[in-house]
Amino acid sequence: MNEENELESKNVDKLASKISNIINNHVYPDGIPGIQNRIHDHFKEIIISSEILLKEVQRIETERQDAFNKKKEKITNTELKFSDDQTIESEEFSNFLTELTYNVVNTMKKFRSLYTVNLSNVLIRSLFLNLFSIFDSFLGDLLREIYKKKPELIEKINQNFSVKDLREFESIDIIINQLINKDIEQILRESYIEQFSIIGNKFNIKLSEFKNWPIFVEISQRRNLIMHTNGRVTSQYLENCKNNKCTLIDDIKINDTLHISKEYLLNSARILQEVTFKLSITLWRKIFPSELNISDKYANNHLFSLLTEEDYILAVELGEFMIKQTKFNSDADKRIILINYCIALKNLNRTDEMNIHLNSVDWSSSILDFKLAVELLKDNKSEFLKYMEKIGTKGEYLDEESYKEWPLFRHIRNNEEFQKKYKQIFNKDLEEEIKQEASDIIATESFQKPNSVA
């Protein structure tokens, strides 16, 4: 019986491991898409952690404040009581003063060692510095992947090895890996401004010409202040920010102290998400032009994920970046990117900008799927429903799942006319379908006993 249970346990473990590997490979595929997905998730972890941890820290700080106030009130209200005709013995008065002094000193010690420690500030600083630790790791992984996919770039690495060093290497592959590692380590030792300059020169491309470059420079320079000067402003900070046209606090001067607020932390995480995406896509399209189809597909999937997460601000920044690309794998890919970008604009109530972009394209010869999307974005419901009926159960891109999953349809899913049209086409109740799928996701199902050894 024990052997049978052990065998069953092994089979379950194998199945669980297999499922885990499939999911992991889907979420983090090989190459640049996997690197980019991983960095996006790491930054999201910081954002989510900050929300959860700061709430707990605020609770602790409130409790600590209350405890201190109670202690202070007790000391303040302490009295030596005696009647008018009562004489005070010197020893009694001395004991009173001693106890009072002890309580004051003891309370102030606790105040200094506990209350004056700003837990929120410590946490936010730690999370802020961790953002750049994640960024450094991403940059190293990205460069290694580029060298791996294009080995001829290794010939341009300028690194020297002594004869003694070469004798210690067991193979040429180890030497190559050492060359790559040294080159990456040398880049990562430089300032973030210099890193972009070195990488840009290495691949003959401008990497700092995007709208939020000055913001990236400022947060990277503030990172240096937090790390090395406890936030005190230096001449180097001011000079680098000035040279890169950063917007600074009015009247800021040397030795002023800069802090990291929760809002600044969250904005920094978003900026780094933006920078890592733009850097990945720019290098990918430049160095591997034959992979334009994969790059466009990844960009669209990433925009779709951001729309699903309702991160419309980041989706707009990345969508704006993508529609400005000069080359696309196909006109269809370009139009899908544009539509996803416009979905983000609409959700931020930037409808004027959305309409400008939609009207800049001739949709007359487009497939019905695109025409449907444009009419819905423009709130032409009657035209949208007509295209929905024309497309039927399956279009070029749209199918039954699209109506339930694509953020384009988020705001119309509760519309009665839309639900009727959906039921007419698919012979299903949309609301019940969505509820059932949500129930399936939440439900926990146990593993079935395997029939045989895998």
Side-chain angles (χ1 to χ4, degrees), residues 151-158:
E152 59 265 33
L153 292 172
I154 298 169
E155 298 173 8
K156 299 179 181 179
I157 295 179
N158 185 22

Side-chain angles (χ1 to χ4, degrees), residues 248-269:
L248 299 178
I249 301 169
D250 292 340
D251 301 325
I252 190 172
K253 57 185 181 298
I254 294 174
N255 287 330
D256 285 350
T257 300
L258 296 180
H259 302 283
I260 308 296
S261 65
K262 176 185 173 183
E263 291 71 23
Y264 187 91
L265 170 70
L266 296 179
N267 186 59
S268 298

Side-chain angles (χ1 to χ4, degrees), residues 186-200:
Q186 185 172 313
I187 292 173
L188 293 179
R189 279 196 294 268
E190 301 293 340
S191 70
Y192 292 103
I193 297 172
E194 190 61 25
Q195 286 175 16
F196 274 67
S197 177
I198 292 170
I199 296 170

Side-chain angles (χ1 to χ4, degrees), residues 31-36 39 134-155 157 159 176-177 179-192 194-205 207 276 279-284 287-288:
I32 295 175
I35 293 170
Q36 184 58 43
I39 192 72
I134 293 170
F135 181 83
D136 292 344
S137 176
F138 151 80
L139 194 55
D141 289 344
L142 180 62
L143 292 173
R144 284 188 188 88
E145 180 63 23
I146 290 172
Y147 282 130
K148 173 185 170 185
K149 288 172 66 79
K150 199 160 186 175
E152 59 265 33
L153 292 172
I154 298 169
E155 298 173 8
I157 295 179
Q159 295 288 343
I176 290 173
N177 285 334
L179 272 171
I180 293 171
N181 288 335
K182 277 195 168 187
D183 186 61
I184 292 173
E185 288 170 8
Q186 185 172 313
I187 292 173
L188 293 179
R189 279 196 294 268
E190 301 293 340
S191 70
Y192 292 103
E194 190 61 25
Q195 286 175 16
F196 274 67
S197 177
I198 292 170
I199 296 170
N201 290 334
K202 187 185 289 284
F203 300 114
N204 193 29
I205 188 170
L207 294 176
T276 52
L279 182 60
S280 296
I281 293 294
T282 300
L283 294 178
W284 193 358
I287 302 168
F288 308 106

Side-chain angles (χ1 to χ4, degrees), residues 13-247:
D13 289 343
K14 283 183 179 180
L15 180 59
S17 178
K18 187 174 182 180
I19 292 172
S20 177
N21 288 335
I22 291 172
I23 293 173
N24 193 57
N25 290 335
H26 176 72
V27 177
Y28 304 121
D30 291 335
I32 295 175
I35 293 170
Q36 184 58 43
N37 285 353
R38 191 171 285 107
I39 192 72
H40 174 76
D41 286 350
H42 286 332
F43 286 140
K44 290 294 288 186
E45 286 169 1
I46 296 291
I47 293 171
I48 294 170
S49 297
S50 68
E51 295 288 353
I52 296 171
L53 295 175
L54 283 171
K55 283 183 181 179
E56 180 62 15
V57 164
Q58 287 166 2
R59 182 190 66 78
I60 293 171
E61 288 182 331
T62 300
E63 288 182 355
R64 194 174 55 180
Q65 171 79 67
D66 291 343
F68 174 76
N69 287 340
K70 287 178 182 178
K71 192 72 174 178
K72 186 174 69 172
E73 183 179 356
K74 183 179 178 182
I75 293 172
T76 303
N77 295 332
T78 300
E79 296 178 356
L80 179 62
K81 296 180 179 179
F82 56 92
S83 59
D84 293 340
D85 58 348
Q86 181 181 354
T87 59
I88 306 173
E89 298 292 335
S90 60
E91 184 177 353
E92 182 182 0
F93 189 68
S94 176
N95 289 339
F96 168 77
L97 288 179
T98 300
E99 183 179 359
L100 181 62
T101 303
Y102 173 79
N103 285 333
V104 171
V105 171
N106 189 45
T107 300
M108 290 310 297
K109 279 184 177 179
K110 289 182 178 179
F111 176 82
R112 290 179 59 180
S113 62
L114 292 176
Y115 184 71
T116 57
V117 175
N118 189 325
L119 298 180
S120 297
N121 186 47
V122 171
L123 176 61
I124 289 174
R125 281 187 171 207
S126 298
L127 293 173
F128 178 70
L129 293 177
N130 197 26
L131 287 175
F132 287 92
S133 175
I134 293 170
F135 181 83
D136 292 344
S137 176
F138 151 80
L139 194 55
D141 289 344
L142 180 62
L143 292 173
R144 284 188 188 88
E145 180 63 23
I146 290 172
Y147 282 130
K148 173 185 170 185
K149 288 172 66 79
K150 199 160 186 175
E152 59 265 33
L153 292 172
I154 298 169
E155 298 173 8
K156 299 179 181 179
I157 295 179
N158 185 22
Q159 295 288 343
N160 297 319
F161 291 101
S162 67
V163 174
K164 181 182 177 182
D165 290 334
L166 292 172
R167 284 176 178 171
E168 292 177 356
F169 295 130
E170 296 179 2
S171 68
I172 189 66
D173 288 338
I174 295 176
I175 295 175
I176 290 173
N177 285 334
Q178 190 70 3
L179 272 171
I180 293 171
N181 288 335
K182 277 195 168 187
D183 186 61
I184 292 173
E185 288 170 8
Q186 185 172 313
I187 292 173
L188 293 179
R189 279 196 294 268
E190 301 293 340
S191 70
Y192 292 103
I193 297 172
E194 190 61 25
Q195 286 175 16
F196 274 67
S197 177
I198 292 170
I199 296 170
N201 290 334
K202 187 185 289 284
F203 300 114
N204 193 29
I205 188 170
K206 292 280 188 181
L207 294 176
S208 59
E209 294 183 348
F210 61 94
K211 183 178 63 177
N212 286 333
W213 168 255
I215 300 178
F216 170 69
V217 169
E218 196 283 323
I219 65 173
S220 67
Q221 292 300 302
R222 193 175 300 205
R223 173 262 177 204
N224 295 340
L225 297 184
I226 299 298
M227 177 66 77
H228 301 296
T229 69
N230 198 30
R232 289 193 305 277
V233 173
T234 63
S235 59
Q236 185 180 33
Y237 168 86
L238 294 175
E239 183 179 354
N240 285 332
C241 287
K242 180 181 177 181
N243 291 341
N244 289 275
K245 300 179 180 178
C246 304
T247 302

